Amino acid sequence: MTTELIQLRKHLRKKRRHVSPIRQKHAEQHILNRLRHLPEFKHAAQVGIYLHAFGEIQTRKIIEYCFQQKKSVYLPMICNMNQRLVWVKISQHQFYNQRFSYHPLGMQEPMASRGQHVSHLDLLIMPLLACDPFGTRIGMGGGFYDKTLASTPYHRPFRLGLAHHFQLVPQTLTREKWDQPLDALLMPQQFLRFKR
């Protein structure tokens, strides 16, 4: 990893953590308003999504809306054997009663022994640290999403990143051979589609 990339990660992590609660609420609502009209969201029956933990775009309202629309909601769980993500279907009861465990990396996970392969999902809503104008995504550095998506059919699931406006960086990020690009990026005031 280059010094420039290390600095960019550090800067964006800090900036993301310092987004005020009121700005987070507004961002989440604007994102949901846009998401509801996306064909890929409207037609998705199985939606994979994250539980926010580190200043990412918050997902509570999106998850609640998915339940209202009778969509199946899946949360990621890290498989310790291969460091890939599996997707665990959760119920409204689990969600509202916070039936989750804490992973050593700091995020919450569903309590389950097994999960589905990512190709089971129609839509995957992903967190990120940065994205460039070509859909190259930088995550938190564990490579979990990249490793997981490397084993999927090319067009399944649809990969949608959520971001604050400052996470869209103007410079072209170096895309390594293992990096898995996004199909689209959704921000509070902007939506971008990419050619994969």
Side-chain angles (χ1 to χ4, degrees):
M1 199 185 298
T2 64
T3 312
E4 190 183 350
L5 187 54
I6 291 167
Q7 288 306 314
L8 180 66
R9 276 182 188 280
K10 197 174 167 183
H11 168 70
L12 289 173
R13 267 201 192 105
K14 187 177 176 184
K15 199 161 180 178
R16 201 174 63 171
R17 275 197 312 268
H18 286 87
V19 175
S20 71
I22 191 87
R23 271 187 62 206
Q24 277 286 17
K25 275 193 173 21
H26 286 152
E28 182 184 20
Q29 189 59 56
H30 284 304
I31 292 254
L32 176 58
N33 293 346
R34 287 171 170 271
L35 182 66
R36 284 157 48 171
H37 302 291
L38 273 187
E40 289 84 2
F41 178 75
K42 281 195 213 173
H43 300 134
Q46 328 285 334
V47 177
I49 193 167
Y50 61 94
L51 290 172
H52 59 270
F54 308 107
E56 310 96 331
I57 292 288
Q58 295 184 355
T59 55
R60 185 175 179 84
K61 285 183 181 176
I62 297 170
I63 293 170
E64 288 171 351
Y65 185 73
C66 285
F67 285 132
Q68 285 169 24
Q69 298 300 305
K70 306 289 186 262
K71 296 181 186 295
S72 296
V73 176
Y74 292 79
L75 295 177
M77 182 175 76
I78 297 171
C79 176
N80 292 323
M81 285 191 321
N82 60 13
Q83 296 299 293
R84 289 185 181 164
L85 301 171
V86 291
W87 298 86
V88 178
K89 185 176 177 179
I90 61 159
S91 66
Q92 282 183 268
H93 178 76
Q94 271 175 292
F95 181 66
Y96 289 117
N97 289 289
Q98 296 292 298
R99 295 284 166 92
F100 305 117
S101 59
Y102 274 93
H103 187 274
L105 291 175
M107 65 282 200
Q108 289 181 303
E109 290 186 316
M111 289 186 271
S113 55
R114 302 177 73 149
Q116 297 279 354
H117 187 267
V118 69
S119 59
H120 179 75
L121 305 174
D122 301 310
L123 171 66
L124 175 57
I125 297 175
M126 303 162 66
L128 53 90
L129 256 186
C131 180
D132 73 7
F134 304 99
T136 304
R137 171 189 173 274
I138 292 179
M140 289 291 278
F144 299 112
Y145 281 90
D146 290 326
K147 286 177 202 152
T148 303
L149 287 167
S151 65
T152 63
Y154 194 62
H155 289 294
R156 188 170 175 85
F158 186 83
R159 306 161 179 196
L160 176 66
L162 299 187
H164 299 285
H165 68 92
F166 59 81
Q167 292 176 273
L168 175 63
V169 296
Q171 71 265 36
T172 302
L173 298 168
T174 304
R175 190 181 293 180
E176 304 293 352
K177 62 179 184 296
W178 56 81
D179 287 334
Q180 298 291 314
L182 296 172
D183 290 312
L185 180 67
L186 181 56
M187 295 167 284
Q189 308 299 340
Q190 199 177 358
F191 175 68
L192 299 174
R193 279 186 191 275
F194 307 113
K195 286 195 173 100
R196 216 193 313 155

